[in-house]
């Protein structure tokens, strides 16, 4: 069962911008895991691929339900007392279950560390909420059951820079093959409801309003796309295949697409009311 959890946090001291990078938030997540299951924390740290979680960059203030673009880089420090939120998505039940003690026994007085700064985690939200559009949960069976057999338009918002590995290099252009094969691979790996590899053949890009953004750290630069794309299902397609494609699009909010999703990149969600 995928879970998209929103943690609200308040720094107790200033967070320097250098510690707001994806690698430090990745380390914070592993510390949270290790606090209740050290073996699991070590396992997740050692995993190189196919990680069953995705993370967001740290966000300031409250989310805007009408603006799906997220702040992916901080040029300035976040001051003590600033309200922040952070999204953690878990793609399987075992990972969520192993962290039950963390969710149930959260101590607001216990400080967590992001670089030199102490953080106070004030709440964890795991159910849909109008003020937090990234909070959600559903079983894979429910995602599939609720997917439309008729909807042929899919609007995807690339909310943090998104790129894909091709051969030895990255590409920031979100072609249908790269986007939907990324979703399909994660769906087949975690859902237990396998879809055929030829599922994406009737999908075609129709509209796009995207641009590139650069995310940099001390070692490298990551170039990815941000913006909106519309894909359409064209031709004579069986209702069951339309349903499966729509299920993949609905799954995107949890899985993200492309590279570095455990470090805040590749956050994607379906926008059903977009034109």
């Amino acid at each position: 069962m995928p879970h998209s959890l929103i943690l609200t946090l308040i720094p107790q001291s200033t967070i320097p911008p250098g510690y707001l990078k994806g690698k430090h938030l990745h380390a914070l997540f592993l510390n949270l895991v290790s606090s209740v299951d050290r073996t699991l924390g070590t396992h997740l740290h050692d995993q190189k691929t196919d990680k069953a979680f995705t993370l967001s960059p740290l966000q300031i203030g409250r989310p805007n339900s009408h603006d799906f673009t997220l702040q992916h880089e901080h040029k300035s420090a976040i001051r003590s007392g600033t309200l922040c939120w952070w999204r953690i998505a878990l793609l399987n039940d075992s990972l969520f279950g192993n962290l039950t003690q963390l969710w149930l026994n959260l101590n607001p007085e216990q400080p967590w560390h992001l670089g030199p700064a102490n953080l106070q985690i004030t709440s964890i939200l795991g159910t849909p909420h109008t003020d937090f559009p990234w909070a959600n949960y559903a079983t894979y069976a429910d995602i599939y059951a609720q997917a439309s057999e008729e909807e042929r338009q899919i609007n995807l918002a690339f909310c943090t820079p998104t790129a894909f590995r091709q051969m030895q290099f990255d590409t920031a252009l979100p072609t249908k093959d790269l986007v939907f094969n990324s979703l399909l691979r994660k769906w087949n790996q975690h859902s237990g409801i396998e879809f055929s590899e030829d599922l994406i053949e009737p999908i075609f890009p129709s509209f796009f309003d995207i641009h590139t953004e650069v995310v940099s750290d001390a070692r490298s630069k990551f170039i990815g796309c941000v913006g909106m794309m519309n894909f359409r299902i064209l031709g004579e397609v069986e209702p069951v295949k339309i349903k499966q494609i729509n299920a993949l699009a609905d799954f995107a909010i949890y899985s993200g697409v492309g590279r570095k999703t455990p470090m805040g990149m590749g956050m994607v969600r379906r926008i059903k009311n977009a034109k």
Side-chain angles (χ1 to χ4, degrees):
M1 173 188 288
H3 294 262
S4 184
L5 307 166
I6 300 296
L7 281 66
T8 53
L9 313 96
I10 298 177
Q12 303 301 295
S13 52
T14 297
I15 310 174
Y19 289 94
L20 293 166
K21 306 293 185 181
K23 63 180 181 180
H24 296 289
L25 292 165
H26 183 266
L28 173 59
F29 172 71
L30 294 180
N31 286 339
L32 290 171
V33 173
S34 295
S35 71
V36 293
D37 190 331
R38 184 170 297 277
T39 300
L40 178 60
T42 301
H43 171 71
L44 294 177
H45 178 271
D46 293 341
Q47 269 189 319
K48 301 301 181 184
T49 59
D50 299 325
K51 295 185 178 182
F53 64 92
T54 66
L55 305 174
S56 80
L58 195 63
Q59 303 297 300
I60 297 175
R62 292 193 174 275
N64 182 345
S65 59
H66 301 291
D67 182 6
F68 294 98
T69 301
L70 300 179
Q71 185 171 358
H72 60 270
E73 197 163 33
H74 296 270
K75 302 295 186 182
S76 302
I78 296 180
R79 300 299 178 187
S80 173
T82 302
L83 177 66
C84 301
W85 64 273
W86 184 38
R87 198 287 294 266
I88 297 174
L90 308 174
L91 302 184
N92 64 44
D93 274 338
S94 62
L95 184 53
F96 181 83
N98 286 335
L99 299 178
T100 297
Q101 294 305 311
L102 176 62
W103 320 130
L104 295 180
N105 299 316
L106 180 68
N107 180 3
E109 302 304 320
Q110 178 182 353
W112 300 92
H113 306 288
L114 187 58
N118 289 339
L119 296 176
Q120 179 186 14
I121 300 176
T122 59
S123 68
I124 298 178
L125 178 64
T127 56
H129 195 287
T130 54
D131 292 337
F132 288 89
W134 287 95
N136 213 334
Y137 75 96
T139 66
Y140 285 100
D142 284 342
I143 293 174
Y144 181 66
Q146 294 168 12
S148 173
E149 295 181 347
E150 300 175 351
E151 180 59 65
R152 287 174 171 260
Q153 295 215 41
I154 296 172
N155 298 290
L156 294 180
F158 297 87
C159 304
T160 59
T162 303
F164 306 86
R165 197 71 165 176
Q166 286 191 306
M167 306 291 287
Q168 301 176 15
F169 305 99
D170 288 351
T171 177
L173 188 63
T175 66
K176 71 159 188 180
D177 297 279
L178 294 173
V179 172
F180 284 92
N181 275 329
S182 178
L183 292 169
L184 180 62
R185 179 179 57 80
K186 290 187 178 182
W187 175 273
N188 283 345
Q189 179 183 355
H190 297 290
S191 71
I193 308 171
E194 188 165 351
F195 296 161
S196 171
E197 292 185 0
D198 64 359
L199 179 63
I200 69 173
E201 289 180 0
I203 304 173
F204 294 88
S206 175
F207 165 85
F208 51 89
D209 182 10
I210 58 175
H211 63 276
T212 54
E213 293 278 357
V214 179
V215 181
S216 59
D217 59 28
R219 296 178 299 173
S220 63
K221 291 184 177 180
F222 178 85
I223 302 173
C225 76
V226 174
M228 185 79 69
M229 284 196 71
N230 171 273
F231 295 90
R232 293 187 180 182
I233 303 171
L234 300 179
E236 295 185 9
V237 185
E238 299 173 9
V240 65
K241 286 195 173 183
I242 294 176
K243 186 178 185 69
Q244 290 174 351
I245 292 170
N246 278 292
L248 290 182
D250 295 338
F251 173 56
I253 186 174
Y254 304 103
S255 67
V257 299
R259 298 196 63 221
K260 296 182 179 290
T261 54
M263 295 189 178
M265 301 298 98
M267 289 186 70
V268 176
R269 60 178 297 137
R270 185 177 192 169
I271 311 300
K272 291 193 176 182
N273 60 350
K275 296 182 179 179

